[in-house]
Amino acid sequence: MNELDDPKIYAADPDDFLGVVEELPDQVRQGWRLGLGAEGIEPAEVSNVCVLGMGGSGVSGDVLRAVLGPKMRVPVAVSKGYTLPSWVSSGSLVLAVSYSGNTEETLATFDAAVKLGARIVCVTTGGALAQRAAQEGVPLIQIPGGLQPRAALGFLAMPLLAIVQRMGLCPPIDADVEDALQLLGTRSDQMHRKVPTSDNQAKQLATTLLGKLPIVYGSEGIAEVAAYRWKCQFNECAKIPSWWHSFPELNHNEIVGWDQLQPLTSESCAAVVLRHPGEHPRTSKRVQITTGLIEANVASMTPVRTEGRSDLAAFLDLVQVGDFTATYLALLQGVDPTPVDVITHLKDELAKS
Ligand code: PA5
């Protein structure tokens, strides 16, 4: 029997991180509704959109950029740091996202956006960001607390999509959301802890990756952001190094780097390639050639395909497989997937000065 099929293994997950992963479809539905129901969101002319946020919160901006960016009337970018891009102005829509509400980079850029007179909306559970939003009369979407930020992707990202739709900056995506929810529900059932490894894609992949350094590749757009998300989940849930890159860019640099350390990489690196139906046909060709070229340099090469019809469904499906896989991998290692002690320590040290 695979260890993941033995209920005893779940003792390593006292806060039930896996339970939150299993509930992603419901969280996505709730996040969408929170965004649709939020007060103070009106159709408006804006010249660009800038999302502020770091780590597990900032990735919600990457989701907006990848899923809706190509369909939006105005450009969207994500600011992950202490300084706003110079093009943010009073004509910008600024979406400040922080799960805790206390992330210093996000607070710094929020303050700068207030000074510029930008139109702002905040997404947070509370903290200093909620206080400052109240002081400044900025619309606030308050999301449920008690989770790790990376376990709250549905609460953090879906309101952003809803805001952009309500402001008339993209075509309506209600049908895509329904489509995504249906797919997520089916796939979540298939990867649930009760489904044995023999029939469970995420348990199988976690078993393949055990003891290896995962390299996650995806194609530009949604699979690129999904690959980044997978890498971060391997870091924060399984507490292992991981790297990611995207097609076609990696064909112009990283592909050469598989040349010299073959004895090391073929023993220790395991590649995962995220595929989706919306790939550019030339990118599909590139993926096919590239995987053939590097197959002998890695311990395993696993394609992960989604059949999601919309970009949103495909993206969330890929993310969900990654979240399950990283959590199962943590458990196979006997590691608690929830805490991120190093991040907490770093923030405590920074707070002293
Ligand atoms: O996963 C994490 O805990 C981090 O990446 C946090 O999301 C990041 O430090 C930012 O904090 P917050 O999400 O509370 O703004």
Side-chain angles (χ1 to χ4, degrees):
M1 182 171 72
N2 184 298
E3 281 176 85
L4 288 167
D5 299 334
D6 180 351
K8 286 196 210 88
I9 202 167
Y10 299 102
D13 183 15
D15 296 314
D16 198 20
F17 193 91
L18 181 59
V20 180
V21 171
E22 286 164 348
E23 282 164 14
L24 181 69
D26 193 44
Q27 195 189 108
V28 166
R29 180 183 319 240
Q30 286 186 55
W32 178 244
R33 286 190 185 147
L34 280 171
L36 289 184
E39 287 176 13
I41 314 291
E42 313 275 326
E45 280 307 315
V46 295
S47 44
N48 49 60
V49 179
C50 186
V51 183
L52 319 177
M54 306 301 298
S57 293
V59 76
S60 63
D62 299 323
V63 177
L64 175 66
R65 186 174 51 78
V67 172
L68 285 188
K71 298 175 189 154
M72 282 171 60
R73 289 196 287 108
V74 295
V76 55
V78 190
S79 170
K80 297 184 180 184
Y82 289 96
T83 322
L84 277 181
S86 59
W87 46 260
V88 173
S89 70
S90 57
S92 300
L93 169 64
V94 170
L95 304 170
V97 188
S98 169
Y99 190 74
S100 62
N102 292 322
T103 298
E104 63 179 41
E105 299 94 318
T106 311
L107 292 170
T109 44
F110 170 86
D111 289 345
V114 169
K115 276 204 187 110
L116 287 170
R119 181 182 293 270
I120 307 174
V121 181
C122 293
V123 179
T124 183
T125 58
L129 188 60
Q131 280 169 12
R132 291 185 201 185
Q135 272 160 19
E136 302 295 339
V138 163
L140 169 74
I141 300 181
Q142 183 142 18
I143 58 174
L147 299 171
Q148 287 292 321
R150 66 188 188 283
L153 188 68
F155 289 136
L156 293 161
M158 293 308 290
L160 305 189
L161 306 187
I163 293 166
V164 165
Q165 168 171 316
R166 288 179 63 193
M167 291 187 66
L169 300 175
C170 69
I173 57 158
D174 305 81
D176 292 356
V177 174
E178 283 314 312
D179 188 33
L181 287 172
Q182 216 165 36
L183 181 65
L184 284 181
T186 308
R187 304 275 290 131
S188 175
D189 290 347
Q190 292 167 348
M191 292 181 285
H192 193 275
R193 73 186 83 185
K194 287 187 192 142
V195 179
T197 305
S198 52
D199 298 320
N200 189 318
Q201 178 188 15
K203 286 185 179 179
Q204 286 170 12
L205 185 49
T207 307
T208 302
L209 297 177
L210 183 62
K212 309 289 180 214
L213 193 153
I215 318 288
V216 192
Y217 287 162
S219 54
E220 59 172 328
I222 58 160
E224 175 179 5
V225 176
Y228 173 61
R229 164 78 177 185
W230 277 59
K231 168 245 183 268
C232 293
Q233 293 297 70
F234 287 134
N235 298 150
E236 295 191 61
C237 300
K239 282 81 173 164
I240 55 170
S242 173
W243 86 70
W244 72 286
H245 210 323
S246 67
F247 291 99
E249 175 63 15
L250 74 87
N251 279 167
H252 301 272
N253 35 61
E254 181 153 320
I255 190 175
V256 188
W258 287 106
D259 195 42
Q260 283 296 305
L261 298 182
Q262 207 261 356
L264 176 71
T265 60
S266 61
E267 191 56 38
S268 55
C269 295
V272 177
V273 185
L274 308 184
R275 310 293 309 267
H276 66 100
E279 269 171 14
H280 190 286
R282 295 295 293 165
T283 299
S284 300
K285 189 79 201 154
R286 285 174 181 275
V287 175
Q288 186 201 332
I289 299 170
T290 307
T291 50
L293 285 172
I294 63 175
E295 205 150 19
N297 300 58
V298 289
S300 62
M301 165 81 70
T302 311
V304 172
R305 295 176 197 280
T306 173
E307 296 307 323
R309 281 174 300 189
S310 64
D311 280 353
L312 181 65
F315 172 77
L316 289 173
D317 184 27
L318 290 174
V319 163
Q320 186 171 239
V321 182
D323 286 7
F324 269 106
T325 303
T327 309
Y328 285 135
L329 182 56
L331 296 176
L332 274 176
Q333 297 175 148
V335 165
D336 183 349
T338 297
V340 281
D341 294 342
V342 183
I343 297 178
T344 310
H345 172 74
L346 181 83
K347 287 182 178 179
D348 290 348
E349 286 297 307
L350 281 165
K352 289 180 192 162
S353 54

mmCIF file with all atom_site columns, all heavy atoms in Angstrom, residues 54-58 97-103 106 148-150 156 236 340 343 347, ligand 1:
data_model
loop_
_atom_site.group_PDB
_atom_site.id
_atom_site.type_symbol
_atom_site.label_atom_id
_atom_site.label_alt_id
_atom_site.label_comp_id
_atom_site.label_asym_id
_atom_site.label_entity_id
_atom_site.label_seq_id
_atom_site.pdbx_PDB_ins_code
_atom_site.Cartn_x
_atom_site.Cartn_y
_atom_site.Cartn_z
_atom_site.occupancy
_atom_site.B_iso_or_equiv
_atom_site.pdbx_formal_charge
_atom_site.auth_seq_id
_atom_site.auth_comp_id
_atom_site.auth_asym_id
_atom_site.auth_atom_id
_atom_site.pdbx_PDB_model_num
ATOM   1   N N   . MET A 1 54  ? 2.268  40.775 -2.259 1.00 0.00 ? 54  MET A N   1
ATOM   2   C CA  . MET A 1 54  ? 3.481  39.959 -2.179 1.00 0.00 ? 54  MET A CA  1
ATOM   3   C C   . MET A 1 54  ? 3.110  38.497 -1.951 1.00 0.00 ? 54  MET A C   1
ATOM   4   O O   . MET A 1 54  ? 2.081  38.197 -1.334 1.00 0.00 ? 54  MET A O   1
ATOM   5   C CB  . MET A 1 54  ? 4.355  40.418 -0.991 1.00 0.00 ? 54  MET A CB  1
ATOM   6   C CG  . MET A 1 54  ? 4.725  41.892 -0.960 1.00 0.00 ? 54  MET A CG  1
ATOM   7   S SD  . MET A 1 54  ? 5.629  42.472 -2.403 1.00 0.00 ? 54  MET A SD  1
ATOM   8   C CE  . MET A 1 54  ? 7.105  41.477 -2.321 1.00 0.00 ? 54  MET A CE  1
ATOM   9   N N   . GLY A 1 55  ? 3.975  37.608 -2.383 1.00 0.00 ? 55  GLY A N   1
ATOM   10  C CA  . GLY A 1 55  ? 3.864  36.187 -2.072 1.00 0.00 ? 55  GLY A CA  1
ATOM   11  C C   . GLY A 1 55  ? 2.498  35.607 -2.397 1.00 0.00 ? 55  GLY A C   1
ATOM   12  O O   . GLY A 1 55  ? 1.947  35.798 -3.484 1.00 0.00 ? 55  GLY A O   1
ATOM   13  N N   . GLY A 1 56  ? 1.932  34.918 -1.424 1.00 0.00 ? 56  GLY A N   1
ATOM   14  C CA  . GLY A 1 56  ? 0.650  34.235 -1.611 1.00 0.00 ? 56  GLY A CA  1
ATOM   15  C C   . GLY A 1 56  ? -0.488 35.179 -1.933 1.00 0.00 ? 56  GLY A C   1
ATOM   16  O O   . GLY A 1 56  ? -1.506 34.766 -2.500 1.00 0.00 ? 56  GLY A O   1
ATOM   17  N N   . SER A 1 57  ? -0.334 36.453 -1.590 1.00 0.00 ? 57  SER A N   1
ATOM   18  C CA  . SER A 1 57  ? -1.356 37.447 -1.961 1.00 0.00 ? 57  SER A CA  1
ATOM   19  C C   . SER A 1 57  ? -1.064 38.022 -3.342 1.00 0.00 ? 57  SER A C   1
ATOM   20  O O   . SER A 1 57  ? -1.975 38.187 -4.163 1.00 0.00 ? 57  SER A O   1
ATOM   21  C CB  . SER A 1 57  ? -1.385 38.590 -0.935 1.00 0.00 ? 57  SER A CB  1
ATOM   22  O OG  . SER A 1 57  ? -1.832 38.114 0.304  1.00 0.00 ? 57  SER A OG  1
ATOM   23  N N   . GLY A 1 58  ? 0.198  38.335 -3.593 1.00 0.00 ? 58  GLY A N   1
ATOM   24  C CA  . GLY A 1 58  ? 0.574  38.957 -4.873 1.00 0.00 ? 58  GLY A CA  1
ATOM   25  C C   . GLY A 1 58  ? 0.273  38.071 -6.072 1.00 0.00 ? 58  GLY A C   1
ATOM   26  O O   . GLY A 1 58  ? 0.000  38.572 -7.177 1.00 0.00 ? 58  GLY A O   1
ATOM   27  N N   . VAL A 1 97  ? -3.753 44.000 -2.357 1.00 0.00 ? 97  VAL A N   1
ATOM   28  C CA  . VAL A 1 97  ? -4.142 42.682 -1.852 1.00 0.00 ? 97  VAL A CA  1
ATOM   29  C C   . VAL A 1 97  ? -3.139 42.210 -0.802 1.00 0.00 ? 97  VAL A C   1
ATOM   30  O O   . VAL A 1 97  ? -1.947 42.063 -1.098 1.00 0.00 ? 97  VAL A O   1
ATOM   31  C CB  . VAL A 1 97  ? -4.176 41.642 -3.008 1.00 0.00 ? 97  VAL A CB  1
ATOM   32  C CG1 . VAL A 1 97  ? -4.770 40.324 -2.509 1.00 0.00 ? 97  VAL A CG1 1
ATOM   33  C CG2 . VAL A 1 97  ? -4.966 42.161 -4.205 1.00 0.00 ? 97  VAL A CG2 1
ATOM   34  N N   . SER A 1 98  ? -3.624 41.984 0.411  1.00 0.00 ? 98  SER A N   1
ATOM   35  C CA  . SER A 1 98  ? -2.753 41.400 1.440  1.00 0.00 ? 98  SER A CA  1
ATOM   36  C C   . SER A 1 98  ? -3.618 40.569 2.369  1.00 0.00 ? 98  SER A C   1
ATOM   37  O O   . SER A 1 98  ? -4.534 41.105 3.006  1.00 0.00 ? 98  SER A O   1
ATOM   38  C CB  . SER A 1 98  ? -2.042 42.493 2.242  1.00 0.00 ? 98  SER A CB  1
ATOM   39  O OG  . SER A 1 98  ? -1.419 41.924 3.374  1.00 0.00 ? 98  SER A OG  1
ATOM   40  N N   . TYR A 1 99  ? -3.317 39.270 2.463  1.00 0.00 ? 99  TYR A N   1
ATOM   41  C CA  . TYR A 1 99  ? -4.156 38.409 3.305  1.00 0.00 ? 99  TYR A CA  1
ATOM   42  C C   . TYR A 1 99  ? -4.147 38.916 4.751  1.00 0.00 ? 99  TYR A C   1
ATOM   43  O O   . TYR A 1 99  ? -5.194 39.137 5.340  1.00 0.00 ? 99  TYR A O   1
ATOM   44  C CB  . TYR A 1 99  ? -3.689 36.949 3.234  1.00 0.00 ? 99  TYR A CB  1
ATOM   45  C CG  . TYR A 1 99  ? -4.689 36.038 3.892  1.00 0.00 ? 99  TYR A CG  1
ATOM   46  C CD1 . TYR A 1 99  ? -5.895 35.746 3.276  1.00 0.00 ? 99  TYR A CD1 1
ATOM   47  C CD2 . TYR A 1 99  ? -4.458 35.507 5.161  1.00 0.00 ? 99  TYR A CD2 1
ATOM   48  C CE1 . TYR A 1 99  ? -6.853 34.944 3.890  1.00 0.00 ? 99  TYR A CE1 1
ATOM   49  C CE2 . TYR A 1 99  ? -5.396 34.701 5.782  1.00 0.00 ? 99  TYR A CE2 1
ATOM   50  C CZ  . TYR A 1 99  ? -6.589 34.424 5.146  1.00 0.00 ? 99  TYR A CZ  1
ATOM   51  O OH  . TYR A 1 99  ? -7.541 33.646 5.765  1.00 0.00 ? 99  TYR A OH  1
ATOM   52  N N   . SER A 1 100 ? -2.949 39.149 5.306  1.00 0.00 ? 100 SER A N   1
ATOM   53  C CA  . SER A 1 100 ? -2.869 39.609 6.703  1.00 0.00 ? 100 SER A CA  1
ATOM   54  C C   . SER A 1 100 ? -3.264 41.071 6.827  1.00 0.00 ? 100 SER A C   1
ATOM   55  O O   . SER A 1 100 ? -3.729 41.507 7.878  1.00 0.00 ? 100 SER A O   1
ATOM   56  C CB  . SER A 1 100 ? -1.437 39.447 7.221  1.00 0.00 ? 100 SER A CB  1
ATOM   57  O OG  . SER A 1 100 ? -0.560 40.269 6.452  1.00 0.00 ? 100 SER A OG  1
ATOM   58  N N   . GLY A 1 101 ? -3.017 41.825 5.781  1.00 0.00 ? 101 GLY A N   1
ATOM   59  C CA  . GLY A 1 101 ? -3.225 43.275 5.836  1.00 0.00 ? 101 GLY A CA  1
ATOM   60  C C   . GLY A 1 101 ? -2.042 43.992 6.463  1.00 0.00 ? 101 GLY A C   1
ATOM   61  O O   . GLY A 1 101 ? -2.097 45.204 6.678  1.00 0.00 ? 101 GLY A O   1
ATOM   62  N N   . ASN A 1 102 ? -0.976 43.274 6.745  1.00 0.00 ? 102 ASN A N   1
ATOM   63  C CA  . ASN A 1 102 ? 0.153  43.891 7.454  1.00 0.00 ? 102 ASN A CA  1
ATOM   64  C C   . ASN A 1 102 ? 1.471  43.780 6.698  1.00 0.00 ? 102 ASN A C   1
ATOM   65  O O   . ASN A 1 102 ? 2.533  43.911 7.306  1.00 0.00 ? 102 ASN A O   1
ATOM   66  C CB  . ASN A 1 102 ? 0.309  43.234 8.838  1.00 0.00 ? 102 ASN A CB  1
ATOM   67  C CG  . ASN A 1 102 ? -0.858 43.590 9.735  1.00 0.00 ? 102 ASN A CG  1
ATOM   68  O OD1 . ASN A 1 102 ? -1.351 44.723 9.710  1.00 0.00 ? 102 ASN A OD1 1
ATOM   69  N ND2 . ASN A 1 102 ? -1.342 42.620 10.493 1.00 0.00 ? 102 ASN A ND2 1
ATOM   70  N N   . THR A 1 103 ? 1.433  43.543 5.428  1.00 0.00 ? 103 THR A N   1
ATOM   71  C CA  . THR A 1 103 ? 2.672  43.356 4.659  1.00 0.00 ? 103 THR A CA  1
ATOM   72  C C   . THR A 1 103 ? 3.262  44.713 4.290  1.00 0.00 ? 103 THR A C   1
ATOM   73  O O   . THR A 1 103 ? 2.607  45.532 3.639  1.00 0.00 ? 103 THR A O   1
ATOM   74  C CB  . THR A 1 103 ? 2.363  42.497 3.419  1.00 0.00 ? 103 THR A CB  1
ATOM   75  O OG1 . THR A 1 103 ? 1.916  41.230 3.901  1.00 0.00 ? 103 THR A OG1 1
ATOM   76  C CG2 . THR A 1 103 ? 3.567  42.312 2.539  1.00 0.00 ? 103 THR A CG2 1
ATOM   77  N N   . THR A 1 106 ? 3.315  46.118 0.648  1.00 0.00 ? 106 THR A N   1
ATOM   78  C CA  . THR A 1 106 ? 1.978  46.437 0.124  1.00 0.00 ? 106 THR A CA  1
ATOM   79  C C   . THR A 1 106 ? 1.438  47.716 0.779  1.00 0.00 ? 106 THR A C   1
ATOM   80  O O   . THR A 1 106 ? 0.802  48.549 0.112  1.00 0.00 ? 106 THR A O   1
ATOM   81  C CB  . THR A 1 106 ? 1.023  45.241 0.370  1.00 0.00 ? 106 THR A CB  1
ATOM   82  O OG1 . THR A 1 106 ? 1.689  44.053 -0.076 1.00 0.00 ? 106 THR A OG1 1
ATOM   83  C CG2 . THR A 1 106 ? -0.287 45.409 -0.388 1.00 0.00 ? 106 THR A CG2 1
ATOM   84  N N   . GLN A 1 148 ? -3.616 30.125 5.737  1.00 0.00 ? 148 GLN A N   1
ATOM   85  C CA  . GLN A 1 148 ? -2.357 30.606 5.189  1.00 0.00 ? 148 GLN A CA  1
ATOM   86  C C   . GLN A 1 148 ? -2.703 31.381 3.912  1.00 0.00 ? 148 GLN A C   1
ATOM   87  O O   . GLN A 1 148 ? -3.599 30.951 3.161  1.00 0.00 ? 148 GLN A O   1
ATOM   88  C CB  . GLN A 1 148 ? -1.444 29.425 4.840  1.00 0.00 ? 148 GLN A CB  1
ATOM   89  C CG  . GLN A 1 148 ? -0.856 28.728 6.038  1.00 0.00 ? 148 GLN A CG  1
ATOM   90  C CD  . GLN A 1 148 ? 0.148  29.604 6.767  1.00 0.00 ? 148 GLN A CD  1
ATOM   91  O OE1 . GLN A 1 148 ? 0.927  30.317 6.145  1.00 0.00 ? 148 GLN A OE1 1
ATOM   92  N NE2 . GLN A 1 148 ? 0.123  29.566 8.089  1.00 0.00 ? 148 GLN A NE2 1
ATOM   93  N N   . PRO A 1 149 ? -1.992 32.481 3.616  1.00 0.00 ? 149 PRO A N   1
ATOM   94  C CA  . PRO A 1 149 ? -2.324 33.242 2.400  1.00 0.00 ? 149 PRO A CA  1
ATOM   95  C C   . PRO A 1 149 ? -2.366 32.360 1.144  1.00 0.00 ? 149 PRO A C   1
ATOM   96  O O   . PRO A 1 149 ? -3.261 32.490 0.315  1.00 0.00 ? 149 PRO A O   1
ATOM   97  C CB  . PRO A 1 149 ? -1.192 34.271 2.303  1.00 0.00 ? 149 PRO A CB  1
ATOM   98  C CG  . PRO A 1 149 ? -0.712 34.440 3.702  1.00 0.00 ? 149 PRO A CG  1
ATOM   99  C CD  . PRO A 1 149 ? -0.910 33.120 4.387  1.00 0.00 ? 149 PRO A CD  1
ATOM   100 N N   . ARG A 1 150 ? -1.415 31.432 1.035  1.00 0.00 ? 150 ARG A N   1
ATOM   101 C CA  . ARG A 1 150 ? -1.375 30.612 -0.189 1.00 0.00 ? 150 ARG A CA  1
ATOM   102 C C   . ARG A 1 150 ? -2.518 29.614 -0.256 1.00 0.00 ? 150 ARG A C   1
ATOM   103 O O   . ARG A 1 150 ? -2.778 29.032 -1.303 1.00 0.00 ? 150 ARG A O   1
ATOM   104 C CB  . ARG A 1 150 ? -0.033 29.894 -0.318 1.00 0.00 ? 150 ARG A CB  1
ATOM   105 C CG  . ARG A 1 150 ? 0.209  28.868 0.746  1.00 0.00 ? 150 ARG A CG  1
ATOM   106 C CD  . ARG A 1 150 ? 1.624  28.334 0.689  1.00 0.00 ? 150 ARG A CD  1
ATOM   107 N NE  . ARG A 1 150 ? 1.804  27.204 1.589  1.00 0.00 ? 150 ARG A NE  1
ATOM   108 C CZ  . ARG A 1 150 ? 1.952  27.288 2.903  1.00 0.00 ? 150 ARG A CZ  1
ATOM   109 N NH1 . ARG A 1 150 ? 1.950  28.466 3.496  1.00 0.00 ? 150 ARG A NH1 1
ATOM   110 N NH2 . ARG A 1 150 ? 2.113  26.199 3.628  1.00 0.00 ? 150 ARG A NH2 1
ATOM   111 N N   . LEU A 1 156 ? -8.589 35.450 -2.607 1.00 0.00 ? 156 LEU A N   1
ATOM   112 C CA  . LEU A 1 156 ? -7.744 36.590 -2.969 1.00 0.00 ? 156 LEU A CA  1
ATOM   113 C C   . LEU A 1 156 ? -7.878 36.961 -4.442 1.00 0.00 ? 156 LEU A C   1
ATOM   114 O O   . LEU A 1 156 ? -7.912 38.156 -4.787 1.00 0.00 ? 156 LEU A O   1
ATOM   115 C CB  . LEU A 1 156 ? -6.272 36.266 -2.653 1.00 0.00 ? 156 LEU A CB  1
ATOM   116 C CG  . LEU A 1 156 ? -5.933 36.130 -1.159 1.00 0.00 ? 156 LEU A CG  1
ATOM   117 C CD1 . LEU A 1 156 ? -4.636 35.366 -0.958 1.00 0.00 ? 156 LEU A CD1 1
ATOM   118 C CD2 . LEU A 1 156 ? -5.846 37.514 -0.516 1.00 0.00 ? 156 LEU A CD2 1
ATOM   119 N N   . GLU A 1 236 ? 6.811  26.161 -0.070 1.00 0.00 ? 236 GLU A N   1
ATOM   120 C CA  . GLU A 1 236 ? 6.156  26.505 1.196  1.00 0.00 ? 236 GLU A CA  1
ATOM   121 C C   . GLU A 1 236 ? 5.433  25.329 1.848  1.00 0.00 ? 236 GLU A C   1
ATOM   122 O O   . GLU A 1 236 ? 5.309  25.300 3.069  1.00 0.00 ? 236 GLU A O   1
ATOM   123 C CB  . GLU A 1 236 ? 5.175  27.666 0.986  1.00 0.00 ? 236 GLU A CB  1
ATOM   124 C CG  . GLU A 1 236 ? 5.875  28.955 0.597  1.00 0.00 ? 236 GLU A CG  1
ATOM   125 C CD  . GLU A 1 236 ? 4.953  30.158 0.654  1.00 0.00 ? 236 GLU A CD  1
ATOM   126 O OE1 . GLU A 1 236 ? 4.432  30.470 1.741  1.00 0.00 ? 236 GLU A OE1 1
ATOM   127 O OE2 . GLU A 1 236 ? 4.730  30.768 -0.396 1.00 0.00 ? 236 GLU A OE2 1
ATOM   128 N N   . VAL A 1 340 ? 5.081  28.297 7.880  1.00 0.00 ? 340 VAL A N   1
ATOM   129 C CA  . VAL A 1 340 ? 6.208  28.815 7.085  1.00 0.00 ? 340 VAL A CA  1
ATOM   130 C C   . VAL A 1 340 ? 7.085  29.597 8.069  1.00 0.00 ? 340 VAL A C   1
ATOM   131 O O   . VAL A 1 340 ? 7.170  30.820 8.016  1.00 0.00 ? 340 VAL A O   1
ATOM   132 C CB  . VAL A 1 340 ? 5.719  29.692 5.895  1.00 0.00 ? 340 VAL A CB  1
ATOM   133 C CG1 . VAL A 1 340 ? 5.246  28.832 4.751  1.00 0.00 ? 340 VAL A CG1 1
ATOM   134 C CG2 . VAL A 1 340 ? 4.605  30.652 6.307  1.00 0.00 ? 340 VAL A CG2 1
ATOM   135 N N   . ILE A 1 343 ? 9.500  32.461 7.024  1.00 0.00 ? 343 ILE A N   1
ATOM   136 C CA  . ILE A 1 343 ? 8.879  33.742 6.657  1.00 0.00 ? 343 ILE A CA  1
ATOM   137 C C   . ILE A 1 343 ? 8.474  34.491 7.928  1.00 0.00 ? 343 ILE A C   1
ATOM   138 O O   . ILE A 1 343 ? 8.709  35.695 8.074  1.00 0.00 ? 343 ILE A O   1
ATOM   139 C CB  . ILE A 1 343 ? 7.654  33.522 5.739  1.00 0.00 ? 343 ILE A CB  1
ATOM   140 C CG1 . ILE A 1 343 ? 8.077  32.887 4.413  1.00 0.00 ? 343 ILE A CG1 1
ATOM   141 C CG2 . ILE A 1 343 ? 6.930  34.846 5.483  1.00 0.00 ? 343 ILE A CG2 1
ATOM   142 C CD1 . ILE A 1 343 ? 6.929  32.577 3.449  1.00 0.00 ? 343 ILE A CD1 1
ATOM   143 N N   . LYS A 1 347 ? 9.893  38.150 9.138  1.00 0.00 ? 347 LYS A N   1
ATOM   144 C CA  . LYS A 1 347 ? 9.010  39.297 9.386  1.00 0.00 ? 347 LYS A CA  1
ATOM   145 C C   . LYS A 1 347 ? 9.197  39.816 10.820 1.00 0.00 ? 347 LYS A C   1
ATOM   146 O O   . LYS A 1 347 ? 9.186  41.015 11.062 1.00 0.00 ? 347 LYS A O   1
ATOM   147 C CB  . LYS A 1 347 ? 7.545  38.916 9.137  1.00 0.00 ? 347 LYS A CB  1
ATOM   148 C CG  . LYS A 1 347 ? 7.229  38.758 7.645  1.00 0.00 ? 347 LYS A CG  1
ATOM   149 C CD  . LYS A 1 347 ? 5.764  38.416 7.395  1.00 0.00 ? 347 LYS A CD  1
ATOM   150 C CE  . LYS A 1 347 ? 5.480  38.319 5.902  1.00 0.00 ? 347 LYS A CE  1
ATOM   151 N NZ  . LYS A 1 347 ? 4.099  37.963 5.568  1.00 0.00 ? 347 LYS A NZ  1
HETATM 152 O O1  . PA5 B 2 .   ? 2.844  32.432 1.894  1.00 0.00 ? 1   PA5 B O1  1
HETATM 153 C C1  . PA5 B 2 .   ? 3.077  33.369 2.658  1.00 0.00 ? 1   PA5 B C1  1
HETATM 154 O O2  . PA5 B 2 .   ? 2.841  33.340 3.867  1.00 0.00 ? 1   PA5 B O2  1
HETATM 155 C C2  . PA5 B 2 .   ? 3.691  34.620 2.085  1.00 0.00 ? 1   PA5 B C2  1
HETATM 156 O O3  . PA5 B 2 .   ? 4.038  34.462 0.755  1.00 0.00 ? 1   PA5 B O3  1
HETATM 157 C C3  . PA5 B 2 .   ? 2.742  35.810 2.289  1.00 0.00 ? 1   PA5 B C3  1
HETATM 158 O O4  . PA5 B 2 .   ? 1.626  35.691 1.440  1.00 0.00 ? 1   PA5 B O4  1
HETATM 159 C C4  . PA5 B 2 .   ? 3.499  37.117 2.012  1.00 0.00 ? 1   PA5 B C4  1
HETATM 160 O O5  . PA5 B 2 .   ? 4.539  37.240 2.943  1.00 0.00 ? 1   PA5 B O5  1
HETATM 161 C C5  . PA5 B 2 .   ? 2.609  38.334 2.087  1.00 0.00 ? 1   PA5 B C5  1
HETATM 162 O O6  . PA5 B 2 .   ? 1.824  38.339 3.233  1.00 0.00 ? 1   PA5 B O6  1
HETATM 163 P P1  . PA5 B 2 .   ? 0.264  38.683 3.075  1.00 0.00 ? 1   PA5 B P1  1
HETATM 164 O O7  . PA5 B 2 .   ? -0.273 37.617 2.153  1.00 0.00 ? 1   PA5 B O7  1
HETATM 165 O O8  . PA5 B 2 .   ? -0.314 38.583 4.432  1.00 0.00 ? 1   PA5 B O8  1
HETATM 166 O O9  . PA5 B 2 .   ? 0.188  40.038 2.480  1.00 0.00 ? 1   PA5 B O9  1
#
